[in-house]
Amino acid sequence: MIPLDIFADPVCPWCLIGKLELDRALESRPLHPFQITWHPFRLNPQMPKGGMDRIEYLRAKLGSRAEDASRAVAERAAGLGLDLNPSPREPDTTDAHRLMHWAGLEGAQTRVMSGLLRAHWQEARDIGDASELARIAAAAGMDADLVTRLLASDADRAEVAAREGHARERGISSVPTFIVANQHAISGAQPATLWQQVIDELAESTLK
């Protein structure tokens, strides 16, 4: 297996698009060699604990470009057959990344990331809320009661922060960022055709 490390934040729209494109490529190449690991990288590390109104956030971050940026994401998603219904709250994703860390211990990371993305971008749910995170965990096969207790504590908060800090030290500055085989970085929401090409080239190299 070849490691595919993905640095992502579930509130990043291009992480949603990037995962959709990658999923399509993986579905078309069921014998792909990737062993996927998701890594924490907060898009908004200074976000208040309770989050903020999404419209206010977009206006503060993007100014006059907010509407055009939102339209571009919606159009790209629609091209992939996905209608967006984002949460009205822009959450602090620290706890979502803690959940992803625990999911990694149980082999449930991709299921949990799918749940986080779906909740935030399609179901207008607040993934900064512990009860929502527990429901997402349960849907992915994790113990919701245990997740609830962990979220009420500071468990692995420092670990997640350290992993994010290490990513920034390595030069990662945006999401999604994909690292193939610990060597090759691919940034942004790349089309499924690119991932198909990468998989095919990896398959050819193993035959040589």
Side-chain angles (χ1 to χ4, degrees):
M1 300 298 288
I2 294 174
L4 176 59
D5 295 289
I6 308 176
F7 295 80
D9 192 333
V11 296
C12 167
W14 298 110
C15 292
L16 169 71
I17 302 299
K19 184 178 182 300
L20 287 172
E21 295 280 13
L22 176 62
D23 286 347
R24 289 193 170 193
L26 298 181
E27 289 168 5
S28 72
R29 302 291 191 274
L31 299 180
H32 69 83
F34 290 139
Q35 181 174 336
I36 296 173
T37 303
W38 296 85
H39 298 274
F41 195 98
R42 288 171 299 169
L43 189 64
N44 310 301
Q46 305 306 319
M47 180 65 66
K49 173 67 176 174
M52 62 185 297
D53 178 83
R54 183 170 184 271
I55 300 301
E56 292 180 6
Y57 159 76
L58 289 175
R59 287 174 177 167
K61 186 178 181 69
L62 300 175
S64 61
R65 297 182 294 115
E67 288 188 12
D68 289 342
S70 295
R71 187 179 304 111
V73 171
E75 290 175 354
R76 181 79 179 270
L80 294 168
L82 188 68
D83 292 326
L84 300 185
N85 179 32
S87 170
R89 298 292 296 174
E90 189 72 15
D92 169 21
T93 56
T94 300
D95 283 348
H97 286 298
R98 292 168 70 205
L99 174 58
M100 283 292 291
H101 174 70
W102 303 322
L105 303 177
E106 298 188 23
Q109 273 197 322
T110 295
R111 294 195 300 276
V112 168
M113 179 57 80
S114 296
L116 290 168
L117 290 167
R118 183 169 55 253
H120 179 76
W121 288 106
Q122 295 175 261
E123 300 171 350
R125 294 158 60 190
D126 182 3
I127 60 171
D129 182 87
S131 61
E132 294 288 3
L133 293 175
R135 281 191 280 272
I136 291 167
M142 299 176 67
D143 185 330
D145 291 337
L146 175 58
V147 167
T148 297
R149 291 196 299 272
L150 289 171
L151 287 171
S153 73
D154 286 326
D156 294 311
R157 189 178 297 275
E159 170 69 17
V160 169
R163 289 177 60 194
E164 180 180 339
H166 179 62
R168 295 183 187 275
E169 290 171 2
R170 292 174 62 188
I172 294 172
S173 59
S174 63
V175 288
T177 294
F178 305 83
I179 308 295
V180 180
N182 299 315
Q183 297 179 6
H184 308 291
I186 299 175
S187 298
Q190 300 297 331
T193 51
L194 180 140
W195 286 111
Q196 290 167 338
Q197 181 180 348
V198 169
I199 293 168
D200 293 345
E201 290 177 356
L202 289 171
E204 289 179 8
S205 67
T206 60
L207 297 176
K208 295 179 179 178

